[in-house]
């Protein structure tokens, strides 16, 4: 298997097969942003729980204000959070405010701007009203027991607000997948360090950690490991001891004499599933299992690492969160020509314009070397070129994957 080039689709299927979602845990609503529901969330109350006024004004009987002129006697008030205890009778009214219960006997709200307080205290209507006007009916939004947030719902701004309205102070969510990250190589130093003449700044781990956090996981940065077998073995053991669901290694999985990440992982007990993918950038990608921990060995080149993270780490985290895998690619048209492709599926960094008519135009960026983060940072999408695709001219259809 190690000598074969596995198609991208087959590799994604193998990475995501037989993945059980993480366990459920209950967290306070205020700590649930971006978490994924493990169970359905039902309303614990009816909203609104009674007929309420939608506006500030006067609760009236519509029949009394069906024709003008009319004078009404105010018999009380109903501020928000308080109900008027009596009943509105003929030619009577109750001062009412938005959100307050509509008193018995009333069936409409006269807006305060459509009412004048006379010298004797009576209320003169300047507009007519219809039955139920400016009243929000009991249960208009939802009824107790309604399931409004299903399992797998990601809790963003709108979902958290709804969960609060459903009267949930805490919610059952999937445990965040734990992703341990190891960068390897004698040449790597941390950002902000003094660099030697042959060293480079380690950048991949920051992008992969950001992707993990954006997806709802927890990144565990185990730092930079030099090209030393014992140090690498010790760090792999630390990843296992951390309870990581996924171990991501960066670099060291190619064929050079210092690229021994795969060998050390196998020595520690990893069962290698595949190595090498028919894709560009990102050919030297490794996947296996080390006990309960899944292992993704990503390439050392920064762009290759991040593209592989989007294609393989993202769906793996999604499956651990109990989320379905969906095709996120879109139809677009080329904004410039592309050459013929070879046996590897190509992911071409491109700009993207969304036109008013609904079309999307993706234009390949001029420089595509897998080490060039500046080009990757400019790109808004990846143009997916299948194996052996012929030359394509400007305006030809293509598939794209938007970049986060």
């Amino acid at each position: 298997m190690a000598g074969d080039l596995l198609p991208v689709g087959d590799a994604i299927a193998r990475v995501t097969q037989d993945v059980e979602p993480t366990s459920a845990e209950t967290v306070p609503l205020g700590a649930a942003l971006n978490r994924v529901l493990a169970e359905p969330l039902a309303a614990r109350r009816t909203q609104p729980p009674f007929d309420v006024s939608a506006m500030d004004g006067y609760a009236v009987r519509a029949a009394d204000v069906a024709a003008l002129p009319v004078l009404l006697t105010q018999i009380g008030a109903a501020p928000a959070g308080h109900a008027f205890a009596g009943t509105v009778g003929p030619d009577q009214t109750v001062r009412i405010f938005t959100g307050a219960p509509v008193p018995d006997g009333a069936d409409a709200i006269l807006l305060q701007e459509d009412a004048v307080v006379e010298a004797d205290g009576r209320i003169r209507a300047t507009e007519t009203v219809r039955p139920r006007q400016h009243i929000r009916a009991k249960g208009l939004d939802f009824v107790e027991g309604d399931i409004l947030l299903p399992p797998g719902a990601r809790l963003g701004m709108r979902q958290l607000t709804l969960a609060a309205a459903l009267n949930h102070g805490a919610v059952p969510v999937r445990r965040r997948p734990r992703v341990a990250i190891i960068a390897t190589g004698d040449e790597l130093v941390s950002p902000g360090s003094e660099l030697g003449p042959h060293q480079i700044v380690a950048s991949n781990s920051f992008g992969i950690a950001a992707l993990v956090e954006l997806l709802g996981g927890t990144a565990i940065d185990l730092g930079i490991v030099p090209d030393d077998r014992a140090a690498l073995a010790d760090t792999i053991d630390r990843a296992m001891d951390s309870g990581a669901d996924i171990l991501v290694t960066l670099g060291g999985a190619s064929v050079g004499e210092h690229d021994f990440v795969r060998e050390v992982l196998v020595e520690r007990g990893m069962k290698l599933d595949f190595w090498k993918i028919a894709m560009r950038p990102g050919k030297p990608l490794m996947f296996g299992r080390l006990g309960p921990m899944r292992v993704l060995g990503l390439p050392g080149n920064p762009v290759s690492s991040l593209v592989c993270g989007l294609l393989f780490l993202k769906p793996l985290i999604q499956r651990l969160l109990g989320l379905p895998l969906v095709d996120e690619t879109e139809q677009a048209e080329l904004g410039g020509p592309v050459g013929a492709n070879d046996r590897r599926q190509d992911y071409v960094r491109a700009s993207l314009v969304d036109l008013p008519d609904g079309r999307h135009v993706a234009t390949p960026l001029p420089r595509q070397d897998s080490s060039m983060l500046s080009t990757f940072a400019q790109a808004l999408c990846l143009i997916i070129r299948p194996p052996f695709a012929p030359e394509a001219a400007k305006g030809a259809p293509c598939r794209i994957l938007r970049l986060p």
Side-chain angles (χ1 to χ4, degrees), residues 54-58 95-96 98 109-117 123-127 134:
M55 305 291 286
D56 292 346
Y58 295 87
R95 183 74 164 104
I96 197 167
T98 303
I109 305 299
L110 173 68
L111 299 182
Q112 63 180 16
E113 55 264 37
D114 295 333
V116 175
V117 180
I123 308 301
R124 177 168 57 85
T126 60
E127 296 287 342
H134 305 307

Side-chain angles (χ1 to χ4, degrees), residues 72 200 206 211 225 387:
L72 304 170
I200 60 175
F206 293 91
L211 177 63
V225 179

Side-chain angles (χ1 to χ4, degrees), residues 306-367:
L306 296 178
V307 170
C308 287
L310 287 170
L311 294 179
F312 301 101
L313 179 58
K314 179 178 179 178
L316 180 51
I317 291 175
Q318 289 174 323
R319 295 302 298 127
L320 285 167
L321 288 170
L323 299 173
L325 300 183
V326 296
D327 182 6
E328 296 183 349
T329 64
E330 301 174 48
Q331 184 73 29
E333 61 184 60
L334 290 172
V338 292
N341 199 15
D342 59 17
R343 63 176 177 152
R344 290 194 280 169
Q345 184 152 295
D346 212 350
Y347 292 85
V348 180
R349 280 138 281 166
S351 63
L352 182 65
V353 176
D354 297 316
L355 297 177
D357 61 6
R359 292 180 298 131
H360 314 294
V361 179
T363 304
L365 295 174
R367 298 187 295 177

Side-chain angles (χ1 to χ4, degrees), residues 116-139:
V116 175
V117 180
E118 298 290 350
D120 61 2
R122 289 187 297 174
I123 308 301
R124 177 168 57 85
T126 60
E127 296 287 342
T128 60
V129 298
R130 304 182 308 275
R132 308 298 298 173
Q133 191 168 4
H134 305 307
I135 289 178
R136 295 192 178 110
K138 176 181 178 180

Side-chain angles (χ1 to χ4, degrees), residues 153-165:
R154 192 177 287 275
L155 299 175
M157 172 188 70
R158 293 174 293 124
Q159 293 78 17
L160 286 173
T161 305
L162 176 57

